[in-house]
Amino acid sequence: MYRYDEFDHQLVSERVKQFRGQVERRVSGELSEDAFKPLRLMNGVYLQLHAYMLRVAIPYGTLSSKQLRMQAHIARKYDRGYGHFTTRQNIQFNWPALDKIPDLLEELATVEMHAIQTSGNCIRNVTSDQYAAAIDGEVEDPRIISEIIRQWSTFHPEFTYLPRKFKIAVTGHDNDRAAIKLHDIGIVIKQNELGDVGYEIHVGGGQGRTPFIAKKMADFVPKAQLLAYLEAVMRVYNMLGRRDNSYKARIKIMVHETGEVEMRRLIEAEFAKIDASQMLAVPPAEIDRISAYFASPEFETLPASSDVLEAAKTQDADFARWVRANVVAHKQDGYAIVNISLKPIGGVPGDASDVQMEAVADLAERYSFDEIRVTHEQNLVLPHIRLDDLKTVYDALHAHDLATANLGLISDTIACPGLDYCNLANARSIPLAQEISERFADLDRQYDIGELKIKISGCINACGHHHVGHIGILGVDKKGTEFYQISLGGSADENASIGKITGRAFTEETIVDAIETVVTTYTDMREGSERFIDTYRRVGLDPFKERLYAE
Amino acid sequence: MPNKYQLMREGALCQDEWIYSDEATALSEAPTIISLSRLKAEADDLRARNAKLGVQLLADGNGKTQLGEDVQELEPYLDMLSLVSIAFPTYRNGRGFSAARVLREQFNFDGEIRASGEVLHDQWAMMRRCGITAFELAPTVRLETFTEAMSELSDAYQPAADDQRGALWQRHK
């Protein structure tokens, strides 16, 4: 994992001091809420329905056990005993008191964390693949370049007042778990015929009220030129992106209105000018320094299978189901990647209590080389667990209600905070996610249904990623009543697609039945081992519409 | 007309010797800032004028998208210009940050670049990093506040238009 040097430490602590001054001026009344707003936003502080909310950055979703323990401590000391993991691999605290936030940030800084650029119209926290350095078939650990991008984009003097927020995601694998085509910039690490590592760049993806899949702007940007290329994209956007209407201000709209070809020409012209200076070519020695932090853990040489594991699976059917659903093959023989579902039946998607966080931190420290990952699907990962230890880890997770065996299944829902917390929402998301998971609580039924990603947003801003849910649910408000619109066929992976709306919206009372109808339509029509998304792509929207709106 | 701002230049409050002119008034010998449209229309005459000339780059352009004037249009006139004033209509509009860097880094402009309009406390230091050397500040801003704001962050992660190279480079001097 990356560790701060004195440079990083100094900047983060100076930032805390700066923010403390700003909060003092706000509390004393010297700063109005209007004048304070841009300052607090740059430090991750939102004003929600009931209170201030603080969003803490977890760069590319990687945490050490010490860092996760700090989140537990913060949940206990400054919040109501829990934190909420978000779709951008961050963690949010819903109830901190404003005047205590500088203290909170100071404590965070002791474990090399901060809330910088987790909001505001700047380059946000970089996200990446939660299986980085654990999955087989990766070109390179995506966290190396993610860390370089983190540093380059932090307090960037030119790109802190962009037309709109800006999100960058990186993957080093052909199976995209970082939803890179739904980001302002998506980066795929590639290797060319000469064996050199470089970057395929996608620009202009995004969700919100006008969803777009990103366009591929460059096939292969060499390693040394990446920051120059990124700076070119940013400058073209900052100069020509729209500022007259915040709904049309994201780069996706600019790419759409300008056209892919012209956009590419603009970026390449700017890139040529910036690259000529060589100013942004990161010294190879610095790349080596950062890479060294991400060196592979010292894995033991172990057999590819484990008798201990096989015996435990025979003895404990629940454990066997959990292994099947939540455990993924590791690149190293004798190890596995463990997914910890934060979607217990009837629970709040993405929430974890202080005690749960500490339990996960203990397991990471003892069994997973001190590493935890946060996924954009709001779950946690222990990336490097020995097969022999799986049962012990499972038992410990189970004792803390963290062993729900539903990864990628219908109850593994993404949901935004919705009307329970958010002042933008039209409808509640969390209670609906809870109702759906209770309706489909039977795990055998969930396995029979198979991979099915439900994503719920409480409003058109799409924080719950409904556009790319196999089943997407969007909360809409009609005359003060909450309604839910269904879309089908979305996907956030390497075959990214935007879902299609089925038709008229459903009420709070009928939406769960409607989801059930969609599911049974699929199970009636599927051929062989087809997943929901495969069946949908084969038969299209119509059969689902017919069943949903049949009277 | 008295200035509605106080000028901060090189870390000190100072008397502004520049005046903003409108589209029509004949220019005096005083250092004068004119609009881009006037610069383009009267370039030949202005070249013959023997006094300092500045231009203001407006943020609200024509067009429905209100992009503002394009810094690229200044390129043919740079030899005539001692000053570029970049207008920031609201603190949220950060387009001028890019204009300043293009002037410094791509056009090698070495005259004064000043920020006019709504500029916030925590933007001053970033503006300086982009090559802005003078600030038209609200009359209420105190010198100490400005000085303090400029030194809140002692270092930078990335290079820009100033002398700081950025951490990624500095670590391997």
Side-chain angles (χ1 to χ4, degrees), chain A residues 4-43:
Chain A
Y4 281 12
D5 66 356
E6 48 191 292
F7 198 97
D8 301 292
H9 274 298
Q10 184 183 319
L11 276 172
V12 169
S13 67
E14 284 172 355
R15 178 64 157 201
V16 173
K17 194 172 153 223
Q18 182 186 43
F19 188 58
R20 188 180 290 282
Q22 292 161 350
V23 169
E24 278 164 11
R25 282 186 283 142
R26 173 72 193 107
V27 172
S28 76
E30 186 185 331
L31 278 179
S32 65
E33 175 54 32
D34 263 5
F36 180 58
K37 187 177 169 186
L39 307 178
R40 66 170 164 75
L41 284 180
M42 289 297 168
N43 291 285

Side-chain angles (χ1 to χ4, degrees), chain A residues 257-329:
Chain A
E257 290 182 348
T258 310
E260 190 182 330
V261 173
E262 174 63 5
M263 191 72 191
R264 188 174 292 114
R265 189 191 68 75
L266 289 167
I267 292 169
E268 283 174 4
E270 191 60 39
F271 173 56
K273 290 179 202 164
I274 296 172
D275 189 49
S277 74
Q278 286 298 303
M279 183 165 83
L280 285 163
V282 180
E286 176 66 359
I287 297 179
D288 290 346
R289 185 189 77 90
I290 291 175
S291 301
Y293 286 113
F294 297 101
S296 181
E298 290 186 18
F299 294 119
E300 292 169 50
T301 306
L302 295 169
S305 64
S306 154
D307 297 339
V308 180
L309 170 62
E310 294 312 315
K313 274 159 66 176
T314 322
Q315 282 158 16
D316 183 340
D318 286 343
F319 171 62
R321 288 203 294 195
W322 176 80
V323 170
R324 197 176 81 182
N326 288 30
V327 175
V328 171

